[in-house]
Amino acid sequence: MINSQADPKSIQENPASHTMTLEEFLENDLEGYEYVQGALVPISPTSMEHGEISSNVIRYLSLHVFKHQLGRSYTAGTTFHLGDRVVKPDVAFVSRERLPENRRKGSPIPPDLAIEIVSPTDKQYDVTEKAFAYLKAGTRLVWIIEPVAKTVMVYRSETDFTLFQCEDTLSGEDVVKGFTCPVAQLFE
């Protein structure tokens, strides 16, 4: 565990060599890491394809959210607390009713909608486990976008999930009311 004498520069230069508390993680604002049960977990590097899909999702989702004043959408790098985790989804949505008053720090609540884009180095087990962690923390809807198969797995609970393919239309259901988007548009 990092003590109060720890050198912040040392932590920044080699974060994986340190264990820390959640509070220490938040104080050090470590770029490229998420915090899971006391451990630092490196975020997979993103590809151009990943960035393009993320841009498409944020474009369509944010336009709808803004136009209908539903809340706020967030890009990668925004932190959200999920109990003993701090995660940075690729895209997230928080409804207007749940927005924290102080938004100068990471979100103390989970997003209503969390969207993760699978990277080439991600393991299926880890992706599914992360989707379940979102749900357990109170996220109402999780989209896992798989670029190779061009699919979106939509999780509502650990037992209620649906696979959407390119010919299907994705919906915000009761979480992002009125939002729809053809799955194929996410991969253009």
Side-chain angles (χ1 to χ4, degrees):
M1 186 171 305
I2 297 175
N3 63 37
S4 60
Q5 306 297 322
D7 175 19
K9 185 174 181 184
S10 167
I11 295 168
Q12 293 286 342
E13 289 173 357
N14 193 6
S17 68
H18 297 277
T19 58
M20 59 182 61
T21 66
L22 177 59
E23 293 75 25
E24 289 167 332
F25 176 79
L26 294 171
E27 286 172 16
N28 285 286
D29 191 27
L30 298 172
E31 192 79 25
Y33 288 87
E34 292 182 332
Y35 180 87
V36 179
Q37 301 168 336
L40 296 177
V41 178
I43 296 173
S44 298
T46 59
S47 64
M48 290 178 73
E49 176 184 54
H50 187 284
E52 291 165 3
I53 294 168
S54 181
S55 291
N56 287 341
V57 172
I58 200 72
R59 177 183 326 125
Y60 299 124
L61 182 66
S62 291
L63 182 62
H64 180 81
V65 167
F66 179 77
K67 181 178 178 183
H68 299 283
Q69 297 297 297
L70 299 176
R72 298 284 182 166
S73 52
Y74 296 92
T75 58
T78 306
T79 59
F80 289 88
H81 288 246
L82 307 180
D84 59 358
R85 294 175 175 245
V86 176
V87 297
K88 300 175 182 180
D90 292 307
V91 179
F93 164 77
V94 177
S95 65
R96 184 182 52 209
E97 300 79 26
R98 293 185 63 243
L99 283 170
E101 196 169 305
N102 180 1
R103 295 194 296 273
R104 293 188 180 267
K105 296 182 178 184
S107 177
I109 62 168
D112 291 293
L113 167 64
I115 303 167
E116 295 285 350
I117 301 166
V118 177
S119 296
T121 57
D122 287 338
K123 295 179 184 131
Q124 183 61 43
Y125 174 88
D126 294 334
V127 171
T128 303
E129 194 269 335
K130 190 172 186 181
F132 288 177
Y134 278 116
L135 295 168
K136 183 179 178 184
T139 298
R140 296 173 49 210
L141 198 60
V142 179
W143 297 348
I144 304 295
I145 300 175
E146 211 301 314
V148 175
K150 293 186 171 36
T151 59
V152 180
M153 182 66 80
V154 175
Y155 290 90
R156 295 167 205 86
S157 74
E158 290 185 13
T159 58
D160 183 6
F161 47 90
T162 306
L163 180 67
F164 288 82
Q165 299 176 323
C166 274
E167 61 274 4
D168 298 322
T169 298
L170 198 56
S171 162
E173 302 181 12
D174 64 339
V175 178
V176 186
K177 293 183 186 338
F179 177 77
T180 61
C181 178
V183 171
Q185 282 187 345
L186 303 180
F187 302 102
E188 291 180 340

